[in-house]
Amino acid sequence: MGFDNVITVLEGFSLYITLPNGVKADLAVAEIVGSVASKEGAYATVLDAHRRLVKEPERARLWIPNQIQVYAALAL
């Protein structure tokens, strides 16, 4: 689509991704699977990725998704 020189996709588990020469990403996109956001350690994983890999980790609009929330969960 003509974005090859603008967008770089790094596929993999973020804990194992490093960027060369101290380069940081403009934004990060996370694919979160599961009915309970915290079940897969999503919060800790996304937080780690943003601290290590994103230029401005404090700017929530650079996180996709920028929030995860569980409204209800079955307790047994």
Side-chain angles (χ1 to χ4, degrees), residues 2-17:
F3 294 104
D4 291 347
N5 63 337
V6 178
I7 298 172
T8 302
V9 176
L10 300 175
E11 189 175 342
F13 193 48
S14 63
L15 293 175
Y16 305 124
I17 291 177

Side-chain angles (χ1 to χ4, degrees), residues 4-41:
D4 291 347
N5 63 337
V6 178
I7 298 172
T8 302
V9 176
L10 300 175
E11 189 175 342
F13 193 48
S14 63
L15 293 175
Y16 305 124
I17 291 177
T18 57
L19 300 177
N21 304 319
V23 171
K24 299 264 183 158
D26 294 317
L27 65 95
V29 178
E31 183 274 330
I32 300 171
V33 177
S35 57
V36 179
S38 62
K39 186 172 183 172
E40 297 180 4

